[in-house]
């Protein structure tokens, strides 16, 4: 809705709303009286509009109101709180920018209020005693960021590195003293105690500049491919050490880049220079929950896309690290450790193996550390929602083993999800290491009113722990990696996952008046890719893994029900629509089955194949999965889907899954991702990589991956009939125009190759590791002050809250679902195990 001429976009809502209300005073008084009728409550925009419609009968009058200044304000209202005699509005005119106003229902008087007061009004609905407690704990993490520069435009959110490069270009220019922080940073770089880039003799910017002039002149007379060793001694005489480049040409280019930074810095060259620096060698990646492994784990509880993401991430990071180290001319061996939980009762997986080399890498391993309690090692899986009592001890144990394994500190720690991010924060704070966090999925936006209703939800989800842990981690970290803009700041109609932590309340625990600022330059959008050796186009016949075809044929079309598949497809000539995900509420797989069941046109056009979960709810220990399994069986029976649906149990072989995507493409089918919300959507990337036309949720990351109607299609998970008709329309058009399917398939592949590859991801990630290490040093005092506040918040609040989560008691071990042949350990595995046994004295 366009703003009316009388209302300036920059004018505060509290100033403009009185006049806006007065334009329809009679109707507004009736409308606000209507809002009062049901007493205290929270209202969303559609509630406000529905009740306005019941009061303002005439459509022409309603249209006039909605076209006025008031309509403009209401269109940006995220929610309203009714606390008689007031209605309090939360207005969000752009992502990250909030205003709060209260309107008195009888007089229509308007007053702007603070974030804290808004939260108190909200608490009045759910816990009046807490709302009126003058000594209630208020948390203000923004108080420590006053002197740190922030972005100002919503369109710039997620472009942290760009902003910092611009800021540093300004900060480091001017006097020689301006560049001193950069000189100090270069002097701090080392590998295993050996100086890199410069030594202590170059302790000022003028000295460094002079050395660069001399070195560049010297290099000008050398052939481009002259190895660094040939001029290393001369460099040392001038105060220059290894790291400039493996050859004369590379070293000269790096020298020129730094000279420009020191003399006339610009953002592009600033970013280029930091990408050349030898800052990152050893990386630790935390992912404690679920079954983290390389085989036979996908589909197990709490185990899905995050595992695939991390393993692909590791391979890409190592490849990029090896390339950079070679180009820098340094004799170094990078190490990447994925640190997860060791689960003794591993259900036929390798999750009980302490050290496991990562396939396809040279220097990367999975390091597993058990959860320990006073009663000893916890043997069985524990839900990600119940994991909190073990994390502090896990951090301590993991830190010891990491330092032993790496024979020193890592250079970068990356956390994943709530548990991994909290552990990463604790370790990074203790060791003083640069930290990055990846949320994957912040739970707060998935469950409506989950903050104010935490007491109802805590027995099942322990959100009191999760929301505080997430807030601590995102404030403690040096940079945040997100896959999409929506993950940070949402859209016009929906909050971003991070934005939902800007201000919230947990009545009875704490009131967070400033949690996270989405304009913080720590936020970066770095989209992952899919392993293109596994997920490649169906049309590349010479690469197809035909050895899987008999098994996939049986998987899709056999009429026999067994432990791997149930249901059957009576008409094998129909295209297949296909979805693969965990069976939990948010993934909405049962929603897709219901859409299909209700849509006779779609059922006539295509078959439905679902891959996910178990068939027997008793085999799952995940609460949501058990409920979804029962619902699946109920829907198949209700809509009489036998002969049109194939339900396949969760598949763990990604190579076969890749060929499965391609076999679905052979049927001229499509992939459907119907999630209620999806932070990113790796399966969307995988399907599009295989050339499979894709329909994906418009709630979250897939809306940015797919250009609707061009490289795929958006579907609204909240409007199933509309979504199922959109899928049916596509297949009807394909029957009329045989090239339509090919066109969407080709555009999907084009989109992936331009925007979503692991090569791009790894390059950006390592650049962030370098530049944020410097940024952390530049803002050291502010960082330390905020860290002390965070540590206090952790010690006095979160620690006690985590103690309320029940400790799991091991049950008798269940037999593994599938017996696996005992793997023969490689020599490297034996050496790793032997070394750790010596370190641990076992």
């Amino acid at each position: 809705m366009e703003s009316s001429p009388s209302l300036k976009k920059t004018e505060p809502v509290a100033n403009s709303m009185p006049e806006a209300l007065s334009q329809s005073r009679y109707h507004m008084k009736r409308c606000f009286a209507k809002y009062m009728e049901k007493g205290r409550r929270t209202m969303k925009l559609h509630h406000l509009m529905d009740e306005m419609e019941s009061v303002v009968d005439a459509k022409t009058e309603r249209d006039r109101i909605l076209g006025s200044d008031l309509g403009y304000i209401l269109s940006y209202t995220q929610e309203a709180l009714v606390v008689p005699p007031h209605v309090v509005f939360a207005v969000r005119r752009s992502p990250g920018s909030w205003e709060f106003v209260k309107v008195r229902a009888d007089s229509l008087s308007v007053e702007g209020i603070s974030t804290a007061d808004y939260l108190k009004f909200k608490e009045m609905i759910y816990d009046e005693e807490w709302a009126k407690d003058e000594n209630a704990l208020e948390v203000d993490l923004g108080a420590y960021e006053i002197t740190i520069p922030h972005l100002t435009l919503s369109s710039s959110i997620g472009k942290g590195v760009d902003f910092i490069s611009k800021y540093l270009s300004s900060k480091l220019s001017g006097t020689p003293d301006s560049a001193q922080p950069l000189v100090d940073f270069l002097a701090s770089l080392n590998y295993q105690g050996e100086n890199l880039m410069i030594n202590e003799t170059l302790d000022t910017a003028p000295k460094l500049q002079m050395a660069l002039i001399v070195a560049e002149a010297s290099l000008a007379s050398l052939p481009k491919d002259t190895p660094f060793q040939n001029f290393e001694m001369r460099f040392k005489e001038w105060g220059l050490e290894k790291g400039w480049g493996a050859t004369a040409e590379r070293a000269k280019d790096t020298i020129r880049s730094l000279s420009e930074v020191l003399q006339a810095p610009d953002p592009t060259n600033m970013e280029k220079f930091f990408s050349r620096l030898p800052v990152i060698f050893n990386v630790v990646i935390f992912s404690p929950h679920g079954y983290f492994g390389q085989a036979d784990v996908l589909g197990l509880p709490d185990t899905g896309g995050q595992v695939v993401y991390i393993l692909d991430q590791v391979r890409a990071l190592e490849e990029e690290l090896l390339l950079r180290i070679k180009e820098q001319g340094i004799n170094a061996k990078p190490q990447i450790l994925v640190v997860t939980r060791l689960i003794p009762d591993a259900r036929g997986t390798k999750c009980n193996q302490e050290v496991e080399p990562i396939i396809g890498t040279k220097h990367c391993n999975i390091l597993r550390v058990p959860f320990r309690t006073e009663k000893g090692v916890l043997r069985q899986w524990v839900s990600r929602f119940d994991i909190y009592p073990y994390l502090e001890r896990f951090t301590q144990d993991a830190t010891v083993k990491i330092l032993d394994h790496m024979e020193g500190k890592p250079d970068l720690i990356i956390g994943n999800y709530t548990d991994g991010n909290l552990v990463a924060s604790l370790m990074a704070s203790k060791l003083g290491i640069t930290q990055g966090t990846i949320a994957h999925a912040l739970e707060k936006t998935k469950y409506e009113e989950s903050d104010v209703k935490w007491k109802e939800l805590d027995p099942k989800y322990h959100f009191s722990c999760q929301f505080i842990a997430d807030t601590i981690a995102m404030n403690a970290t040096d940079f945040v990696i997100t896959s999409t803009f929506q993950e940070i700041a949402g859209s016009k109609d929906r909050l971003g996952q991070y934005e939902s932590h800007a201000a919230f309340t947990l009545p009875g625990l704490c009131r967070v008046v400033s949690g996270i600022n989405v304009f913080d330059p720590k936020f970066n959008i770095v989209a992952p890719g899919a392993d293109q050796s596994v997920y490649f186009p169906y049309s590349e016949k010479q690469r197809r893994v035909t050895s899987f075809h008999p098994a996939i044929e049986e998987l899709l079309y056999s009429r026999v029900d067994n432990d791997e598949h149930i249901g059957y497809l009576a008409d094998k000539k129909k295209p297949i629509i296909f979805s693969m995900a965990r069976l939990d509420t948010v993934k909405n797989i049962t929603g897709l089955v219901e859409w299909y069941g209700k849509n006779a046109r779609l059922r006539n056009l295509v078959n439905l194949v679902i891959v996910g979960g178990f068939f027997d709810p008793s085999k799952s220990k995940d609460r949501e999965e058990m409920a979804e399994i029962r619902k699946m069986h109920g829907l198949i029976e209700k809509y009489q889907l036998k002969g049109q649906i194939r339900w396949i149990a969760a598949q763990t072989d990604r190579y076969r899954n890749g060929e499965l995507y391609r076999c679905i493409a052979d049927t001229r089918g499509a992939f459907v991702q119907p999630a209620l919300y999806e932070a990113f959507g790796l399966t969307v990337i995988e399907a599009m990589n295989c050339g499979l036309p894709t329909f994906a949720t418009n709630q979250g990351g897939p809306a940015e991956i797919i250009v609707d109607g061009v490289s795929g299609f958006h579907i609204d998970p909240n409007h199933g009939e509309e979504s199922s008709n959109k899928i049916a329309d596509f297949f009807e058009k394909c029957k009329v125009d045989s090239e339509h399917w090919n066109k969407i398939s080709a555009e999907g592949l084009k989109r992936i190759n331009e925007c979503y590859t692991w090569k791009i991801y790894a390059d950006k990630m390592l650049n962030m590791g370098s530049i944020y290490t410097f940024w952390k040093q530049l803002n050291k005092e502010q960082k330390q002050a905020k860290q002390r506040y965070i540590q206090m918040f952790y010690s006095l609040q979160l620690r006690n809250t985590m103690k309320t989560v029940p400790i799991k008691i091991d049950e008798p071990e269940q037999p593994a679902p599938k017996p696996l042949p005992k793997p023969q350990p490689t020599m490297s595995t034996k050496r790793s195990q032997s070394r750790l046994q010596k370190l641990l004295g076992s």
Side-chain angles (χ1 to χ4, degrees):
M1 184 179 294
E2 295 295 327
S3 60
S4 55
S6 62
L7 181 58
K8 296 178 182 178
K9 290 186 178 181
T10 55
E11 186 178 8
V13 171
N15 293 352
S16 58
M17 200 164 185
E19 175 63 23
L21 290 169
S22 71
Q23 292 169 6
S24 305
R25 189 172 181 83
Y26 169 73
H27 290 299
M28 286 303 98
K29 291 201 76 169
R30 292 182 62 214
C31 188
F32 275 78
K34 180 72 173 177
Y35 295 157
M36 291 293 114
E37 284 182 1
K38 295 181 182 179
R40 295 179 182 180
R41 56 181 169 143
T42 300
M43 300 180 72
K44 299 299 181 184
L45 178 58
H46 67 91
H47 299 136
L48 294 168
M49 294 303 186
D50 289 347
E51 295 193 17
M52 178 188 290
E53 187 173 341
S54 71
V55 170
V56 186
D57 299 324
K59 184 178 184 301
T60 54
E61 182 61 22
R62 285 201 308 274
D63 290 344
R64 187 190 69 78
I65 292 170
L66 295 178
S68 69
D69 291 347
L70 181 61
Y72 170 80
I73 293 170
L74 288 177
S75 72
Y76 289 105
T77 297
Q78 291 294 315
E79 68 177 8
L81 311 174
V82 179
V83 182
H86 293 102
V87 180
V88 187
F89 293 84
V91 182
R92 175 179 173 265
R93 287 197 269 191
S94 61
S97 299
W98 291 83
E99 297 172 76
F100 305 104
V101 295
K102 66 177 181 180
V103 180
R104 190 174 175 93
D106 52 5
S107 65
L108 299 186
S109 60
V110 180
E111 181 184 345
I113 61 173
S114 67
T115 304
D117 286 339
Y118 178 79
L119 293 176
K120 289 176 184 177
F121 271 105
K122 198 166 193 175
E123 291 161 0
M124 289 290 288
I125 300 171
Y126 299 95
D127 189 338
E128 184 174 354
E129 184 179 350
W130 171 260
K132 293 181 175 179
D133 184 352
E134 294 182 359
N135 296 310
L137 173 61
E138 282 195 1
V139 179
D140 184 359
L141 288 154
Y144 291 85
E145 297 184 348
I146 296 171
T147 60
I148 296 177
H150 282 66
L151 297 85
T152 55
L153 300 175
S154 294
S155 58
S156 297
I157 290 171
K159 299 177 181 177
V161 167
D162 292 347
F163 176 83
I164 288 175
S165 297
K166 291 174 184 176
Y167 179 82
L168 291 178
S169 297
S170 171
K171 181 81 171 175
L172 299 180
S173 62
T175 66
D177 288 343
S178 302
Q180 191 59 42
L182 180 57
V183 176
D184 295 338
F185 178 67
L186 293 174
S188 71
L189 299 180
N190 73 90
Y191 177 69
Q192 296 183 344
E194 183 181 3
N195 286 335
L196 298 175
M197 301 303 289
I198 66 174
N199 59 40
E200 65 279 359
T201 63
L202 301 180
D203 55 0
T204 66
K207 289 181 181 178
L208 177 56
Q209 284 179 307
M210 183 57 67
L212 295 178
I213 293 169
V214 173
E216 186 176 355
S218 173
L219 292 173
S221 62
L222 298 178
K224 292 181 179 180
D225 59 354
T226 303
F228 178 81
Q229 290 79 2
N230 289 17
F231 51 88
E232 180 177 3
M233 295 313 297
R234 275 184 287 170
F235 264 43
K236 279 184 175 291
E237 291 172 8
W238 303 323
L240 303 175
E241 301 288 345
K242 292 178 181 176
W244 295 94
T247 64
E249 182 180 33
R250 179 79 179 187
K252 185 164 64 174
D253 192 35
T254 307
I255 285 170
R256 283 178 177 171
S257 182
L258 177 55
S259 295
E260 290 175 15
V261 166
L262 293 173
Q263 294 171 28
D266 70 84
T268 302
N269 195 53
M270 185 71 67
E271 197 170 335
K272 175 188 173 183
F273 175 67
F274 274 96
S275 73
R276 294 288 186 93
L277 291 180
V279 177
I280 308 299
F281 298 96
N282 295 328
V283 181
V284 167
I285 299 173
F286 278 110
S287 181
H289 74 261
Y291 292 82
F292 195 102
Q294 300 179 84
D296 305 310
V297 297
L298 297 181
L300 293 175
D302 290 339
T303 309
Q306 182 171 315
V307 172
V308 177
Y309 178 110
I310 292 171
L311 290 172
D312 287 346
Q313 173 196 51
V314 167
R315 294 184 186 99
L317 284 175
E318 186 193 59
E319 185 176 343
E320 184 66 22
L321 273 172
L322 288 168
L323 175 63
R324 290 189 178 202
I325 289 169
K326 181 181 178 181
E327 290 177 339
Q328 289 158 354
I330 301 169
N331 183 21
K333 182 187 76 173
Q335 296 183 76
I336 302 177
L337 274 184
V338 178
V339 184
T340 187
R341 183 195 162 200
L342 186 147
I343 307 175
D345 294 353
R347 296 180 63 174
T349 72
K350 291 185 179 180
C351 294
N352 55 359
Q353 181 176 314
E354 186 170 54
V355 177
E356 181 185 353
I358 294 177
I359 297 166
T361 70
K362 296 178 179 178
H363 313 294
C364 306
N365 292 279
I366 300 169
L367 174 64
R368 298 188 178 92
V369 180
F371 284 171
R372 289 198 293 153
T373 68
E374 293 178 356
K375 296 182 179 179
V377 170
L378 185 66
R379 297 191 57 81
Q380 294 176 343
W381 167 83
V382 61
S383 166
R384 70 186 189 277
F385 295 120
D386 302 329
I387 205 169
Y388 302 101
Y390 316 100
L391 294 181
E392 188 170 304
R393 181 71 172 269
F394 174 82
T395 306
Q396 295 166 357
D397 294 345
T399 300
V400 172
K401 293 199 174 188
I402 290 165
L403 295 177
D404 281 344
H405 189 95
M406 289 189 158
E407 298 180 348
K409 294 181 183 181
D411 305 298
L412 176 63
I413 299 176
I414 301 168
N416 291 273
Y417 194 67
T418 303
D419 51 349
N421 288 332
L422 181 63
V423 170
S425 299
L426 294 174
M427 182 176 170
S429 175
K430 179 180 179 181
L431 300 181
I433 296 166
T434 303
Q435 176 194 354
T437 58
I438 306 172
H440 294 282
L442 293 166
E443 303 288 345
K444 191 169 177 294
T445 51
K446 292 183 182 179
Y447 303 85
E448 194 169 0
E449 304 290 356
S450 53
D451 48 4
V452 289
K453 294 181 179 179
W454 70 270
K455 290 179 183 176
E456 297 174 29
L457 297 167
D458 237 40
K460 186 175 182 180
Y461 297 111
H462 304 297
F463 285 151
S464 59
C465 294
Q466 185 153 26
F467 298 165
I468 295 174
D470 282 329
T471 303
I472 284 175
M474 63 182 72
N475 277 278
T477 192
D478 297 296
F479 62 93
V480 177
I481 303 152
T482 66
S483 299
T484 63
F485 177 91
Q486 287 197 36
E487 189 179 341
I488 308 169
S491 60
K492 177 186 178 297
D493 302 317
R494 186 185 182 101
L495 290 187
Q497 292 187 54
Y498 283 94
E499 188 182 10
S500 73
H501 293 75
F504 64 95
T505 182
L506 300 170
L509 282 181
C510 61
R511 179 184 304 129
V512 181
V513 299
S514 179
I516 191 66
N517 185 346
V518 295
F519 292 94
D520 194 309
K522 69 173 59 180
F523 285 101
N524 291 272
I525 300 167
V526 187
D531 186 341
Q532 293 181 323
S533 68
V534 177
Y535 304 101
F536 54 84
Y538 75 99
S539 56
E540 295 184 11
K541 301 296 184 183
Q542 73 282 2
R543 297 180 66 191
R544 294 287 294 268
V545 192
T546 54
S547 59
F548 285 135
H549 286 186
I552 290 174
E553 176 77 12
E554 194 276 339
L555 196 66
L556 291 174
Y557 296 115
S558 167
R559 289 197 174 215
V560 177
D561 285 356
N562 57 31
D563 289 342
E564 195 172 21
H565 51 71
I566 60 175
Y568 66 94
L569 306 179
D571 185 351
K572 293 173 61 175
K573 294 180 181 179
K574 283 183 182 179
I576 290 172
I577 60 171
F578 166 59
S579 194
M580 179 162 57
R582 294 192 312 274
L583 287 185
D584 62 29
T585 306
V586 173
K587 295 297 184 185
N588 197 33
I589 295 297
T590 53
L592 172 60
V593 173
E594 189 152 27
W595 302 350
Y596 180 78
K598 289 180 176 180
N599 194 318
R601 184 164 65 107
L602 184 61
R603 290 174 66 170
N604 188 52
L605 287 164
V606 297
N607 290 317
L608 175 61
V609 171
I610 297 296
V611 177
F614 302 98
F615 309 135
D616 181 353
S618 68
K619 288 186 177 180
S620 173
K621 293 186 178 180
D622 185 276
R623 307 177 188 97
E624 283 192 12
E625 186 178 41
M626 288 188 281
E628 290 295 291
I629 291 169
R630 295 187 186 100
K631 188 176 179 181
M632 278 282 286
H633 287 293
L635 290 169
I636 292 170
E637 185 66 30
K638 178 180 178 179
Y639 294 106
Q640 296 297 296
L641 296 178
K642 287 184 179 178
Q644 294 182 300
I645 189 172
R646 176 67 136 199
W647 181 5
I648 301 170
Q651 297 295 297
T652 59
D653 186 334
R654 66 200 299 246
Y655 293 93
R656 192 169 82 165
N657 286 345
E659 194 59 31
L660 178 59
Y661 280 116
R662 290 184 285 274
C663 288
I664 301 295
D666 290 337
T667 76
R668 312 287 281 181
F671 182 75
V672 183
Q673 206 271 32
L676 299 177
Y677 184 82
E678 185 65 56
F680 181 62
L682 273 176
T683 52
V684 172
I685 295 289
E686 292 169 358
M688 292 171 72
N689 256 302
C690 293
L692 197 54
T694 299
F695 294 79
T697 179
N698 62 3
Q699 302 297 311
E704 294 177 40
I705 297 171
I706 290 173
V707 180
D708 187 35
V710 178
S711 54
F713 302 92
H714 297 163
I715 52 175
D716 188 340
N718 299 306
H719 295 89
E721 183 179 356
E722 174 190 304
S723 297
S724 63
N725 280 326
K726 192 170 187 177
I727 300 169
D729 290 344
F730 169 75
F731 283 102
E732 282 192 339
K733 186 170 182 178
C734 289
K735 290 182 79 171
V736 176
D737 178 4
S738 60
E739 281 303 304
H740 186 56
W741 191 96
N742 292 335
K743 180 182 176 183
I744 298 297
S745 171
E747 287 294 328
L749 281 164
K750 181 181 176 184
R751 175 74 173 166
I752 291 298
N753 290 325
E754 287 176 351
C755 304
Y756 299 96
T757 71
W758 280 111
K759 170 72 176 170
I760 297 170
Y761 177 100
D763 181 66
K764 289 183 176 180
M765 168 75 85
L766 293 178
N767 289 352
M768 284 189 286
S770 179
I771 202 164
Y772 280 101
T773 299
F774 177 56
W775 186 247
K776 176 181 180 179
Q777 185 170 306
L778 194 65
N779 298 288
K780 186 176 180 179
E781 291 182 4
Q782 297 94 324
K783 174 82 175 177
Q784 288 177 340
K786 187 172 184 179
Q787 196 62 41
R788 284 193 288 270
Y789 188 93
I790 291 169
Q791 286 170 346
M792 180 178 67
F793 188 31
Y794 170 80
S795 297
L796 299 181
Q797 182 69 66
L798 181 56
R799 240 179 154 191
N800 291 329
T801 308
M802 290 194 296
K803 290 176 182 177
T804 66
V805 180
I807 297 291
K808 182 181 177 69
I809 298 173
D810 282 324
E811 300 169 3
E813 184 177 356
Q814 293 183 349
K818 288 182 181 179
L820 294 174
K822 188 175 181 180
Q824 295 300 313
T826 63
M827 288 304 296
S828 61
T829 307
K830 288 179 179 178
R831 284 195 294 270
S832 297
Q833 291 172 336
S834 174
R835 180 173 174 273
L836 276 165
Q837 286 168 353
K838 290 177 182 177
L839 288 169
L840 299 172
S842 59

